[in-house]
Amino acid sequence: MDYLRAFHFLVLILSAISLSEAGSIGVNYGRISDELPSAFKVVQLLKSQGIDRVKIFDADPAVLKALSGSGIRVTVDLPNEMLFSAAKRPSFAATWVKRNVAAYHPSTQIESIAVGNEVFVDPHNTTKYLIPAMRNIHKALVSYNLHSSIKISSPLALSALQNSYPSSSGSFRPELVDLVIKPMLDFLRETGSRLMINVYPFFAYEGNSDVIPLDYALLRENPGMVDSGNGLRYFNLFDAQIDAVFAAMSALKYDDIEIIVTETGWPSKGDENEVGASVANAASYNGNLIRRVLTGGGTPLRPKADLTVYLFALFNENKKFGPTSERNYGLFFPDEKKVYDIPFTQEGLKHYRDGGHNTPATGDQQVTPPNNGGGVSKSLTGSTWCVANGDAGKDRLQGGLDYACGDGGADCRPIQRGAPCYSPDTLEAHASFAFNSYYQKKGRAGGSCYFGGAAYVVTQPPKYGRCEFPTGY
């Protein structure tokens, strides 16, 4: 009997070690929808699925109250539009922390604050306010003695990288390095915080499906790809993208900073030109990713770095701008039914199998960048452009602009202050440039110049000051 007790005790110890060494899965709770359940019901849903981490895109009182006493760890967000005030006025940062963090913690287990979101692609040119805002928020946490238990970071889009393919060539955009990347990494090092990144293999696959094998993008079984720069073999695009960020940090001598993936996901539905958007692929990507994270282990470049990963998103959100995919990243429908059946816990993984069909492949493959020319075409032969509809209204234009320069991946650097297309400084002119950049990057595909009715196609080159609109990338 003593041997039996000892055996059970050993099993418990080994299980605890296994759990502590594994990664962690959370979920993004976006709310750009008019058909979602109450925050209280959402908390019950999270608990029923064994999801113990959630990230929200603000600090909504109803959500934070509903999470009180739930045991679910929470990441709140200081929105981009508040960065200026938080940077310029320490009193604003102090009040924000008092009302949105100190008032709820520790009953609501706030573990981190995301200061802004993908700030470098924010069309409102808020990059210069990011680091001062982060430092003022941190000072406010110190005043409440919360700086040890609550960490601060800011999610980066992969567009912050100059190079990401192959992973070993990872580097940050030169214009960001001294301005904000190094100061941010210094801050993260000082405060013991992790770099937040948003990683979407779907976007890479969608634009390069002729180069990237689907099984590689969906974390299915495949022979892997060898990085020609460091000889490491990668078995999925997710790891490769993360290691590109690790390589970029290493190039700047910040090898000690850890990473947390604050967004990743795959849409279950998309427009005709959105290659790979389907229920089956979304189920494969998220299911296989959960298994990869919860079974522990890091990336080829950082094999001991277990990951915390937040899936995007909890629900389909019917009021989001952009293509059909933007409204179909949800794991659940608004009625709380699963869009597809995948587990979120180690226990659930015991019975999980990817329902997708693997594509047979053999032999080594070398990682080579897709041949897309890398430049901007200005040929006018048979060209069309996408421009803003001035009659669509300010809110619709702004929403479309924010999407195009954010998740849409448009090149909005030319409309930043001091850049060639900043003038004229009007919403319609800036939106037109952003809409057209998105349209051209999508190969002028049908449906890519819509933006909720805020845009339309023209056959003559747009005229906004001295700005030249590209016709291809």
Side-chain angles (χ1 to χ4, degrees), residues 278-448:
S278 72
V279 170
N281 287 347
S284 289
Y285 177 77
N286 284 315
N288 291 332
L289 177 63
I290 290 169
R291 177 169 55 195
R292 178 252 177 276
V293 171
L294 292 186
T295 51
T299 63
L301 196 59
R302 298 281 183 91
K304 296 181 180 179
D306 286 319
L307 293 169
T308 296
V309 175
Y310 288 83
L311 303 178
F312 186 89
L314 185 56
F315 294 109
N316 285 340
E317 299 171 71
N318 68 324
K319 291 296 184 181
K320 294 197 76 173
F321 278 96
T324 298
S325 62
E326 280 297 307
R327 295 174 288 283
N328 289 280
Y329 274 89
L331 300 164
F332 293 87
F333 293 109
D335 63 3
E336 301 180 47
K337 291 179 181 176
K338 283 187 174 182
V339 177
Y340 39 83
D341 191 18
I342 58 171
F344 300 102
T345 64
Q346 285 190 330
E347 181 64 28
L349 283 173
K350 293 177 181 178
H351 312 289
Y352 172 72
R353 290 192 66 179
D354 177 8
H357 299 288
N358 292 343
T359 304
T362 57
D364 289 352
Q365 291 174 280
Q366 297 293 319
V367 176
T368 55
N371 182 19
N372 58 10
V376 177
S377 165
K378 290 179 180 162
S379 168
L380 303 182
T381 306
S383 294
T384 55
W385 294 262
C386 181
V387 297
N389 176 6
D391 296 328
K394 180 180 178 181
D395 290 344
R396 191 171 290 182
L397 288 178
Q398 188 65 61
L401 174 62
D402 291 346
Y403 168 77
C405 293
D407 291 345
D411 181 7
C412 293
R413 285 174 289 180
I415 56 175
Q416 303 301 311
R417 186 180 297 275
C421 295
Y422 178 75
S423 178
D425 180 16
T426 66
L427 178 57
E428 183 177 344
H430 288 184
S432 290
F433 188 91
F435 292 174
N436 184 65
S437 175
Y438 176 89
Y439 175 65
Q440 303 298 339
K441 286 195 170 198
K442 294 294 182 182
R444 299 191 287 275
S448 59

Side-chain angles (χ1 to χ4, degrees), residues 164-277:
S164 62
Y165 202 90
S167 302
S168 56
S169 70
S171 62
F172 290 107
R173 281 164 39 192
E175 72 272 20
L176 295 176
V177 170
D178 291 325
L179 173 67
V180 68
I181 295 294
K182 283 185 176 180
M184 178 191 289
L185 295 176
D186 284 336
F187 172 83
L188 298 180
R189 178 180 280 166
E190 291 168 17
T191 58
S193 302
R194 292 180 286 180
L195 179 67
M196 294 176 169
I197 61 169
N198 296 341
V199 175
Y200 285 93
F202 168 71
F203 293 143
Y205 175 77
E206 177 197 22
N208 303 282
S209 58
D210 57 333
V211 176
I212 301 173
L214 181 60
D215 287 348
Y216 183 71
L218 297 179
L219 294 89
R220 290 176 179 162
E221 214 172 299
N222 68 90
M225 290 186 173
V226 176
D227 186 314
S228 57
N230 58 20
L232 293 174
R233 184 181 296 275
Y234 286 86
F235 292 97
N236 63 77
L237 185 53
F238 176 83
D239 282 0
Q241 290 185 328
I242 290 173
D243 272 357
V245 180
F246 275 132
M249 289 196 294
S250 181
L252 299 178
K253 311 300 183 188
Y254 291 91
D255 295 279
D256 54 319
I257 306 294
E258 295 181 1
I259 279 175
I260 179 169
V261 179
T262 37
E263 285 184 33
T264 190
W266 196 285
S268 60
K269 186 178 180 183
D271 294 319
E272 187 177 342
N273 63 307
E274 294 187 282
V275 179

Side-chain angles (χ1 to χ4, degrees), residues 143-165:
S143 71
Y144 286 99
N145 198 28
L146 295 175
H147 57 291
S148 296
S149 56
I150 300 175
K151 298 301 179 180
I152 295 171
S153 190
S154 183
L156 304 187
L158 276 191
S159 58
L161 297 182
Q162 176 78 7
N163 297 306
S164 62
Y165 202 90

Side-chain angles (χ1 to χ4, degrees), residues 93-113:
T95 300
W96 189 89
V97 167
K98 177 182 178 180
R99 292 176 177 174
N100 299 291
V101 179
Y104 299 98
H105 186 80
S107 179
T108 299
Q109 294 184 29
I110 298 172
E111 64 174 344
S112 58
I113 300 171

